[in-house]
Amino acid sequence: MMPASISSFIASSSHLGVFTLYAVMFAITAFTLAIALNLYRLIRGPNAEDRILALDTAYINSLALTVLLGIVFNTSVFFEAALVIALLGFLGTVVMAKFLRQGDIVE
C-alpha cells in the first residue's frame, strides 16, 4: 500500500511513461537533497563567499525542481515561476557580489 501523497503524485502524472516517471521522481529526490545540502552550506559556510555560492546554487536547484514539477503536473504555471526564480536568483547574486566587492550596493 502506497502513501496517499505518492499515489496522488503518480495519478497526476499519467501523461508520462513509466521510465520517465521514475526518472522525474529520482531527479526530484536528488534536487531536494541538493537544496538541503545547499542550505547546510548557507548556514555553516566559513565565509561570505561560500554562503553566496550556496545561495546561488540553491536558486539553480530550486529552478530545476520547479521545472520538474511543471513536467509532472503538465502545466505552464511552473515554467513561468521558474523564469521569475531565475531572474531573482541572477539579480540576487549580482547584488551580493557587488556588496562584497565594494561594501555598498548603491554607488
Side-chain angles (χ1 to χ4, degrees):
M1 181 86 181
M2 283 192 274
S5 60
I6 294 176
S7 62
S8 66
F9 177 76
I10 292 173
S12 69
S13 57
S14 62
H15 65 282
L16 298 175
V18 175
F19 180 75
T20 307
L21 178 65
Y22 285 122
V24 167
M25 286 174 46
F26 175 77
I28 287 173
T29 305
F31 281 117
T32 304
L33 178 65
I35 289 172
L37 293 173
N38 288 329
L39 293 177
Y40 173 76
R41 177 52 57 195
L42 186 65
I43 294 169
R44 286 287 295 206
N47 54 24
E49 290 86 3
D50 286 337
R51 288 188 172 110
I52 290 174
L53 286 174
L55 186 63
D56 188 45
T57 308
Y59 273 125
I60 293 170
N61 288 332
S62 65
L63 175 89
L65 193 58
T66 306
V67 169
L68 284 171
L69 290 175
I71 291 171
V72 168
F73 293 116
N74 199 20
T75 180
S76 65
V77 173
F78 287 99
F79 298 112
E80 294 168 4
L83 287 172
V84 172
I85 290 171
L87 178 68
L88 292 176
F90 174 73
L91 290 177
T93 302
V94 168
V95 167
M96 289 294 188
K98 187 174 179 181
F99 179 75
L100 280 181
R101 189 175 54 137
Q102 296 177 351
D104 191 16
I105 297 171
V106 179
E107 295 182 68

